[in-house]
Amino acid sequence: RGEKEKRGDARTAIVRLEQLYPFPQERLKAILASYPRVRDGVWVQEEPRNMGAWSFVKERSSDFSGQTLRYVGRAASPSPATGNAAVHKRELEQFLAEAFA
């Protein structure tokens, strides 16, 4: 089961961005516009802040119909993962708690 269902969350919409280039700006704007009461968006990624798509998406997120976009994920790091399963699990739980807050 997905995290949204496990939490019984009926107020969160999850949009999965699978294509980064060319950036689907108009399609993403249309999807976000279909949620007119949303004021806050959350970008969630497992990779550290300096890896993954965050910096690329952040540059292009200023035109999302007045919605803000904040980052939830690992702090910047020279390594793509913690290397410790227990730490990874703890971090993932923290990201999900922040994302669904």
Side-chain angles (χ1 to χ4, degrees), residues 5 20 24 32 34 42 53 72 74 92-93 98 100:
E5 289 79 22
L20 294 176
L32 295 174
S34 70
V42 180
V72 170
R74 289 185 171 84
L92 187 56
E93 289 169 1
E98 272 186 67
F100 283 94

Side-chain angles (χ1 to χ4, degrees), residues 68-86:
T68 59
L69 187 65
R70 65 183 169 89
Y71 173 85
V72 170
R74 289 185 171 84
S77 171
S79 175
T82 66
N84 181 302

Side-chain angles (χ1 to χ4, degrees), residues 4 24 34 38 50 54 82-83:
K4 183 176 169 172
S34 70
V38 172
N50 59 320
W54 168 244
T82 66

Side-chain angles (χ1 to χ4, degrees), residues 2-3 7 18 31 41 43 48 62 69 74 77 82 86 90 96 99:
E3 191 66 26
R7 292 174 180 269
E18 294 188 11
I31 290 169
W43 179 266
S62 62
L69 187 65
R74 289 185 171 84
S77 171
T82 66
R90 218 174 25 250
L96 291 170

Side-chain angles (χ1 to χ4, degrees), residues 4 16 22 38 40-41 44-46 50 52 61 71 84-85 88:
K4 183 176 169 172
R16 184 174 174 163
V38 172
D40 183 42
V44 182
Q45 71 179 31
E46 286 188 73
N50 59 320
S61 69
Y71 173 85
N84 181 302
H88 173 79

